[in-house]
Amino acid sequence: GRISLDDDIRKYIPELPDVGIPVTIRELLHHTSGVRDYLTLFSLAGYRDDDFYTDDEVVAMLARQKALNFVPGTEFLYSNSGYFLLSVLVKRVTGEPLSAYAQRTIFAPLQMTHSHYQDDHTRIVPDRATGYSRRDDGTWRIDQTTLDMIGDGGVFTSIDDLVRWEGVFRAHALGGPDFVKTLLTPGVLTGGKTISYALGLELGTYRGLKIVEHGGAFVGFRTHILRFPDEDTSIAVLCNAAEADPERLA
């Protein structure tokens, strides 16, 4: 009850620029905000994948933007900035970082004992997989991030814990049926078009069957989770090679 999904994000992060039209939390969740992707911005600024920058520097970069990619609500464009800003929102509203909030309200209640948000890239994690990518000569190199941003990524987990996460949708184990229904509600553009993206979940069909899915790709890791809700079947694929295609495997 502390926030509304239709609040302007500047209510909580006022240093973001006033572009003359509100950017809502719901638009950030649906990737319809028009807020530019911070990974792209830092790349354009000359940063390399192995360089380090902080949460405050990301907020400052976004605060310096003079415009959005498009008028909020009119288009869909995946932006890591949206979910990063939502992690900042959680910290400012609850008084604790998303890593601690998620541990208390999600991972612990669901007994996801091998899951956490990695907001410190120097943290030692037992049994951690290493990410790899190929060099131009075909040999392999370790490929892992030095960034501590979370919200748009940074979840460390296991196959067993993802089975527990899927239990949320099977048994409404977190937040009840209304929460799950909200997560599965797709976004609607201002022109009336319904998009295939809900709240952090992609909706679609495969060979005539309804699917709910999402993938992830960063440095030497590739992931995909795919659910057939009517068949009560879920498939999760975690890969630690940049050339892997987990969506095809799923």
Side-chain angles (χ1 to χ4, degrees):
R2 301 186 195 181
I3 66 170
S4 165
L5 295 188
D6 296 308
D7 285 342
D8 186 346
I9 188 64
R10 294 185 68 249
K11 177 179 178 180
Y12 309 95
I13 312 176
E15 57 266 48
L16 293 176
D18 183 355
V19 294
I21 183 172
V23 175
T24 68
I25 296 171
R26 192 183 304 273
E27 287 165 341
L28 293 174
L29 288 163
H30 287 315
H31 294 291
T32 58
S33 69
V35 175
R36 294 166 174 168
D37 192 302
Y38 75 87
L39 292 174
T40 303
L41 293 174
F42 275 89
S43 175
L44 290 169
Y47 287 76
R48 298 161 297 186
D49 287 345
D50 293 339
D51 287 338
F52 177 78
Y53 43 90
T54 67
D55 285 13
D56 288 343
E57 289 174 299
V58 174
V59 173
M61 172 72 87
L62 295 174
R64 290 195 297 272
Q65 300 306 301
K66 299 286 195 276
L68 304 173
N69 280 328
F70 49 80
V71 175
T74 62
E75 298 182 39
F76 168 87
L77 181 64
Y78 198 97
S79 174
N80 288 281
S81 294
Y83 278 71
F84 164 74
L85 288 172
L86 292 170
S87 76
V88 177
L89 166 78
V90 168
K91 185 175 182 178
R92 295 189 180 185
V93 170
T94 68
E96 57 185 338
L98 177 59
S99 56
Y101 182 80
Q103 181 61 37
R104 179 170 59 82
T105 63
I106 300 173
F107 298 139
L110 294 176
Q111 299 181 323
M112 296 174 67
T113 56
H114 292 93
S115 299
H116 71 275
Y117 272 103
Q118 183 83 347
D119 56 0
D120 175 4
H121 70 280
T122 67
R123 173 180 174 178
I124 296 173
V125 180
D127 302 320
R128 174 182 178 176
T130 300
Y132 300 94
S133 63
R134 286 192 192 272
R135 297 186 177 94
D136 291 340
D137 64 4
T139 59
W140 290 93
R141 63 180 289 267
I142 291 174
D143 192 3
Q144 302 192 157
T145 187
T146 58
L147 300 180
D148 294 335
M149 285 86 242
I150 58 173
D152 57 320
V155 175
F156 279 33
T157 189
S158 67
I159 288 289
D160 288 340
D161 274 10
L162 286 177
V163 171
R164 293 182 181 274
W165 173 245
E166 284 299 286
V168 168
F169 300 91
R170 295 184 62 193
H172 302 143
L174 190 72
D178 287 343
F179 175 68
V180 173
K181 181 180 179 181
T182 299
L183 287 181
L184 294 170
T185 302
V188 180
L189 301 180
T190 52
K193 178 183 176 182
T194 299
I195 61 175
S196 61
Y197 204 91
L199 299 191
L201 298 166
E202 294 182 79
L203 311 178
T205 59
Y206 178 75
R207 296 185 180 180
L209 303 175
K210 287 195 298 184
I211 58 172
V212 182
E213 62 182 335
H214 210 291
F218 195 47
V219 291
F221 298 97
R222 301 290 183 270
T223 65
H224 203 81
I225 190 162
L226 172 66
R227 181 183 320 121
F228 294 90
D230 293 340
E231 283 66 39
D232 195 24
T233 300
S234 299
I235 297 138
V237 180
L238 306 180
C239 304
N240 61 332
E243 64 186 35
D245 187 351
E247 182 176 9
R248 180 183 61 82
L249 292 170

